[in-house]
Amino acid sequence: MLTLLEIARLLKKVKVVAGRGEVSPELRGWSFDKPPVRPPAYLGLALSDFAYGYCPTGRNLYLKYVLGERGQPNRTLAEGQVLHAVLFRAVEDYKRFAYSGQPMSPPLEEVPEDLRPKAEALYRYVAARLLGEHQYVLASRTARSRDSAVFYVAPLSTQVAVDGTPLGLSTVVADGVALGAVVEFKFGPSQNVEAALAGYAMAIEAEWGVPIDYGIHVQVAVNSSVEYRATAHFLGDAARSKFLEMRDEAADLVASGRDPGPAPDCSKACPFYSTCHADRSR
């Protein structure tokens, strides 16, 4: 999934539509030693706990960081974790096939029984797509070596982890990085996509000192078949400022120890839903 040609087309499209925008130097991740990038406090917040804006009041932050609660695992979270793992495993298995010829096969032995149909459908889809592209780049002599075949077929480096401390965060793990863009896969509802992508990009900029101007959001639906929609975003000043605003609000909430109270209506996929709505979860 997401071959070199596909990523290149996505980035070309966003450059045509959004133009070759500029990013203000003070909003680059490497400007972590001065405002506005410098955090109000170094609390080690997880980016995903606030950047996607899942909790309307931010009470998940109060429960996790102030009271030390861990939340309850639920099917939505478990399914997302399993499908992410299967996707990463398929990309890794393809690269192993390309370099050593080892056949690809679904890693279902560790997948819960009720999630196996979706896990197998996703793995087989990704495998078929990557193996088909592999045959094409070899047959067309686009790729002249195993290494260049992997580059053309699966240029994505998955689960890229950087130290989020300069931004007041914990370790930041991006789903993928390719061609100077950060990539995130979502298997469920997603909000504030540009702000979240900007957060990942700024964390990478702070660690590596290289510009990450674009982000790619991939929304994946898995049933008996697989459908996905990939969209590229320019991570300009607006997205970066929105991310910093959300980070600062999260840090202020945690530092104050103030309980913002439960939201009147929130997602049952939240791991703290039963804590905030004990009367409704029975």
Side-chain angles (χ1 to χ4, degrees):
M1 186 183 291
L2 292 188
T3 64
L4 180 71
L5 182 59
E6 187 172 13
I7 295 173
R9 283 176 173 168
L10 287 166
L11 296 178
K12 184 190 298 182
K13 183 177 180 179
V14 72
K15 289 173 184 174
V16 169
V17 174
R20 295 183 179 276
E22 298 291 332
V23 176
S24 299
E26 63 270 22
L27 291 174
R28 291 291 192 184
W30 55 72
S31 298
F32 56 79
D33 57 343
K34 48 188 175 295
V37 179
R38 187 174 68 192
Y42 295 92
L43 301 174
L45 304 177
L47 186 152
S48 58
D49 282 340
F50 65 88
Y52 287 106
Y54 290 134
C55 182
T57 66
R59 196 170 194 239
N60 63 315
L61 297 164
Y62 168 77
L63 294 171
K64 179 176 178 179
Y65 295 100
V66 178
L67 299 188
E69 296 192 17
R70 298 178 61 86
Q72 297 296 319
N74 57 55
R75 180 180 170 83
T76 301
L77 292 176
E79 181 173 307
Q81 291 172 351
V82 165
L83 295 180
H84 271 93
V86 167
L87 175 61
F88 299 145
R89 175 65 180 271
V91 173
E92 185 176 320
D93 284 356
Y94 160 69
K95 293 179 179 178
R96 187 177 296 108
F97 162 80
Y99 286 118
S100 68
Q102 184 173 328
M104 298 182 67
S105 60
L108 299 179
E109 63 276 4
E110 298 178 359
V111 176
E113 186 72 28
D114 60 331
L115 294 177
R116 287 188 179 182
K118 286 190 175 183
E120 183 171 6
L122 177 62
Y123 187 95
R124 293 196 183 284
Y125 171 81
V126 176
R129 179 170 171 76
L130 296 184
L131 292 175
E133 187 73 7
H134 180 83
Q135 295 302 321
Y136 168 74
V137 299
L138 291 181
S140 64
R141 292 188 58 76
T142 302
R144 306 301 176 91
S145 68
R146 294 174 182 175
D147 198 46
S148 62
V150 169
F151 175 67
Y152 280 108
V153 175
L156 202 66
S157 297
T158 60
Q159 296 181 287
V160 176
V162 297
D163 179 14
T165 302
L167 301 186
L169 308 175
S170 58
T171 298
V172 174
V173 184
D175 284 349
V177 175
L179 300 186
V182 63
V183 180
E184 282 292 296
F185 296 92
K186 286 296 175 187
F187 293 91
S190 55
Q191 309 175 62
N192 300 324
V193 169
E194 284 195 356
L197 287 170
Y200 287 105
M202 294 172 72
I204 294 172
E205 290 177 347
E207 176 94 328
W208 297 350
V210 298
I212 304 292
D213 289 349
Y214 298 95
I216 299 175
H217 171 79
V218 188
Q219 190 70 47
V220 189
V222 183
N223 289 298
S224 57
S225 60
V226 176
E227 295 182 358
Y228 73 95
R229 178 180 176 83
T231 308
H233 301 266
F234 171 60
L235 304 177
D237 289 1
R240 291 163 185 263
S241 296
K242 178 63 176 177
F243 168 76
L244 294 175
E245 177 187 336
M246 297 177 74
R247 180 205 60 181
D248 291 353
E249 289 177 355
D252 288 343
L253 189 154
V254 173
S256 71
R258 173 179 56 85
D259 182 359
D265 186 19
C266 50
S267 172
K268 291 186 177 181
C270 176
F272 296 105
Y273 185 88
S274 61
T275 303
C276 292
H277 302 285
D279 55 333
R280 301 184 195 178
S281 59
R282 295 191 183 100

